[in-house]
Amino acid sequence: MPRVCIYGKRYLFYDVFYGEGFNLKRDVYIRIANTVRLLRDPSQIPNFALHDINVKNLTGEDWILVLPPWGPLPHWFNDRSYERYTNHSYFNNWSGIPWSMFFDLNSLSLFIPVMDLIEFQRSNVLDSQQSLLNRSSNHPLTIDLALQLVRGDFNEKLGQYSNVNNRKVDFCPFELRELYRLNDSTLSSSSSFSRPIELFEGSSFNLQNGILPMTASAYDCITGDLEPVHLAPFLIQLIKNSEKPITTLYLDSAQSIIHGHWSEWSQEYWTVRRSITIAKHLRDIGDNYRGAYLHSNDISDRTVSPSIVEHLGPGSSWLRPQWPLSPALGGPYVAVHWRRGDFVTTSTNATTTTVTTTSRSPNNVSAAQQILNAVKIFNQYEDHYIDTIYLATDANKEELENLKSLLYPLQVFHFEPTESEWISYGPGGSAIIDQWICAHARYFIGTSLSTFTYRIIEERSIMGFLLNTTLNNFCSNGPIYLYKPNYYNTELSTCQSLTEWPVIYEKQYTISSSSSPSSLSPMINDELLSNEYIKDDL
């Protein structure tokens, strides 16, 4: 890969709609990270996405991604499995949570430079580069430009915005754009104008979490085919043609960005996904639980992680092409993700007072039967009988206890954080610990259409688990769906199956023992762009 031509630092901020789930927001990061990849190195933009722009006119800039704080997410307070802990006095503990609480920033920074928002605000960027952010004691920190993202474009005949894949990005139609197109002069000329975009909505800026509120000098709106390969060249041109310098840029409603050409079937998707490594302190809690209750450890499970790349240090093991003992075996238990919560809805007929329940996951009786059937089939291929179930669920206490009784004599384990763990890591940390334990099981049963399940499947795929141990899922009315039923010689299920996406390794982000430094990405090869340098520079 050619060396990126890097000029002065620029900072990209983004946020996702407040109501989106924890696991979907992790997916949005992949889309944003691939956009930053192209902002840093436009030579990677495919020709079909240039729209008559000469790639030679697109210069890579030293973009750093500033990560939005986590929480408090609405569903964290509706998680029925943690009713005994649900206390709104924890609200401040779960607001403004840095990414480093959940993920390894060293790993992320080996793909693109990243930093937490709180780190950005506390760094001497504010003191040594006043042109980046205008700060005063009476006003919030100010970003140069905030863009509202609107997926699709306006259909005049329908009178609404539709998800039309027009293969390019542009400014919003006039009427919509005027709702957002404000700048400092407009805002200062009249007190009647309110800011059209609330930056980092729901992040609860307060003295306790130390995050300062932020606003923008100018606002605008863009729409169209919002995928990285089309979005990046538009942003580069927008900044190049701007009358005022733009060194800080904010993208609102980033969930509107789609993977597009770089979806799960692409090496670009998997490069970013591989770099999302769970924070060590959460992995340690999960590993200790596995050892204490599930007779599981990395040696016997064949889940020893790859070695780090010595010259890159901690967080670099994801760059290895595969886990050393793969195919993984997993611990002697079956992990089950039984999604309830928002997958179960009830409605009442006002006339007859009849209550109707609609569910995208099985009730406890059906779930128990599907688990028992699966365990019976799995054990046909085991030398030692597996009688242990690890359950990750948002079911309430009554449902959980009822399911346990229906699964007897199988042993059922369910991670419950200590009071201190709950206060420290909250629902987000507990969910990741659940996923880490599920990822190490001999067999996994998930809930179709759940992003919680998808993240577990991705972890298992990266570890090197076989597909028949991973792509098994509940059906709302049964029977259970098992990967390639003919393999297990069981009845066919008619419900939606989990999708098979093999891990694809991108050459410049994959290091084997024989890799030479010259074959690696400049982000990895050039120590001036390493995470260590970024921290020192700030």
Side-chain angles (χ1 to χ4, degrees), residues 314-372:
S316 60
S317 61
W318 69 269
L319 294 163
R320 299 295 187 187
Q322 63 181 18
W323 287 44
L325 301 181
S326 63
L329 178 63
Y333 60 98
V334 175
V336 175
H337 172 222
W338 183 38
R339 177 75 173 265
R340 297 297 283 166
D342 59 348
F343 269 41
V344 181
T345 58
T346 58
S347 59
T348 303
N349 186 301
T351 304
T352 64
T353 68
T354 302
V355 177
T356 303
T357 300
T358 304
S359 178
R360 288 182 285 168
S361 73
N363 60 30
N364 46 21
V365 174
S366 178
Q369 189 60 55
Q370 292 183 53
I371 293 170
L372 290 169

Side-chain angles (χ1 to χ4, degrees), residues 289 294 333-337 388-392 411-415 433-435 437-438:
Y289 186 95
L294 302 172
Y333 60 98
V334 175
V336 175
H337 172 222
T388 302
I389 302 295
Y390 178 79
L391 183 63
Q411 301 180 78
V412 180
F413 292 88
H414 174 63
F415 176 75
I433 293 167
D434 256 343
Q435 290 172 321
I437 297 171
C438 286

Side-chain angles (χ1 to χ4, degrees), residues 28 31 148-151 224 226-227 252-258:
V28 172
R31 312 170 204 176
Q148 177 66 42
L149 306 185
V150 179
R151 187 182 302 173
L226 299 176
E227 62 169 296
D252 196 47
S253 300
Q255 73 279 357
S256 299
I257 301 173
I258 61 173

Side-chain angles (χ1 to χ4, degrees), residues 501-521:
W501 296 116
V503 180
I504 302 176
Y505 294 91
E506 192 171 0
K507 183 178 180 180
Q508 61 265 40
Y509 291 99
T510 304
I511 301 177
S512 64
S513 57
S514 60
S515 294
S516 62
S518 61
S519 66
L520 305 178
S521 162

